[in-house]
Amino acid sequence: MSLEIFSAEEHQRLVDAESRYGNAFVNTYNTTILLSNLMMWPVIDCDLFIRFYSQMKKYHTLSVVSTVRLHRIQAKMDLRYFLESTANAAFSLAHTDTQNYFDLQNNRIGDAQKATLKAYKWLEVTYLAHSNFMRELKADINEQTAHAHVVNSHHNFDFVPGQKAEIITSYFDFEDDELIKLDLWIAAKAGIHAADLILTVQKDFGGFLPSSDSDILGQLMTDNDAVLRELQSAKA
């Protein structure tokens, strides 16, 4: 076992991702770049939004990187954190007061779970389509990968019987290119929904000037649909 070798192999897997996973990776890569460049500059004091937006950017990118580095559970946990950050970013962009996040009367930070629940409830009332997508994806992650489960061991555990029996507990997940392409498509779709949500809230409530990079959102949606058709054709 060598952490240096693991790190080098992870880097190489990222370098090789476009040639290996094709349009699925390209669409996801372009989506995470867009997410990192949505905002040109704030026009009001929106510190809370920018804090959550920074978490959105970081954890979407980490999810993409973890996917191609063959760490599926980590990728899904990062994607779940990304969804929660997105909900709070949208809420705090529309509600610039700090009451949902700070208990000013008692001079302490508020309950994070209660704050996130309030943000989700607000999304359900105000932006139902985005809320439904985020809720369904989060439920899938919670059910399949967010918690320790013996079923998830099939990604990196195997037993080879025989005279020279072998127990395999791999640092990397076993390679499954079609599953990785699917996970990349899901990550891209989540990023596209998040970008669309934040830009929609910005139109409704202001807060910041969008960058010109946001103009490619429509093309990313089209490309994401094309990736899905590719995946479906591969299974036909």
Side-chain angles (χ1 to χ4, degrees), residues 49-231:
F49 163 71
I50 297 173
R51 288 174 181 272
F52 284 117
Y53 174 55
S54 73
Q55 300 297 287
M56 283 179 59
K57 297 193 302 179
K58 175 175 180 175
Y59 284 93
H60 189 270
T61 299
L62 280 174
S63 181
V64 174
V65 169
S66 296
T67 299
V68 299
R69 287 178 171 176
L70 303 185
H71 303 305
R72 188 170 193 259
I73 302 303
Q74 185 65 57
K76 294 300 184 181
M77 292 175 69
D78 287 334
L79 195 62
R80 184 181 186 277
Y81 193 94
F82 160 75
L83 292 172
E84 290 190 355
S85 299
T86 298
N88 283 289
F91 181 88
S92 58
L93 186 60
H95 305 82
T96 56
D97 63 85
T98 63
Q99 294 180 8
N100 196 43
Y101 302 100
F102 297 101
D103 183 349
L104 298 179
Q105 184 176 357
N106 296 302
N107 194 30
R108 65 186 181 189
I109 298 175
D111 185 287
Q113 288 186 328
K114 290 181 179 179
T116 298
L117 181 60
K118 186 173 181 179
Y120 276 128
K121 287 183 176 179
W122 172 78
L123 281 175
E124 186 175 1
V125 172
T126 315
Y127 300 101
L128 182 59
H130 294 95
S131 173
N132 286 343
F133 172 83
M134 294 169 66
R135 184 181 67 252
E136 291 169 7
L137 179 53
K138 186 179 177 184
D140 287 344
I141 294 172
N142 286 342
E143 180 179 354
Q144 298 174 16
T145 50
H147 306 285
H149 196 297
V150 67
V151 172
N152 289 320
S153 66
H154 78 275
H155 294 302
N156 70 325
F157 168 83
D158 197 12
F159 173 70
V160 181
Q163 187 174 0
K164 295 183 178 180
E166 183 181 6
I167 297 173
I168 300 172
T169 56
S170 172
Y171 171 72
F172 293 101
D173 294 344
F174 303 131
E175 298 189 40
D176 184 337
D177 286 3
E178 293 307 310
L179 180 61
I180 292 171
K181 288 178 182 179
L182 177 62
D183 284 343
L184 287 170
W185 173 76
I186 291 171
K189 193 171 185 66
I192 289 167
H193 268 268
D196 186 62
L197 172 61
I198 295 301
L199 290 172
T200 301
V201 176
Q202 183 273 332
K203 288 179 183 177
D204 292 342
F205 295 92
F208 67 91
L209 296 176
S211 74
S212 59
D213 290 2
S214 61
D215 295 341
I216 71 167
L217 181 58
Q219 185 60 53
L220 290 177
M221 293 177 179
T222 299
D223 294 344
N224 191 251
D225 291 339
V227 169
L228 177 59
R229 289 193 295 271
E230 285 184 17
L231 295 174

Side-chain angles (χ1 to χ4, degrees), residues 15-29:
V15 170
D16 296 340
E18 181 174 350
S19 62
R20 181 149 198 167
Y21 308 117
N23 292 329
F25 177 75
V26 172
N27 182 234
T28 313
Y29 177 88

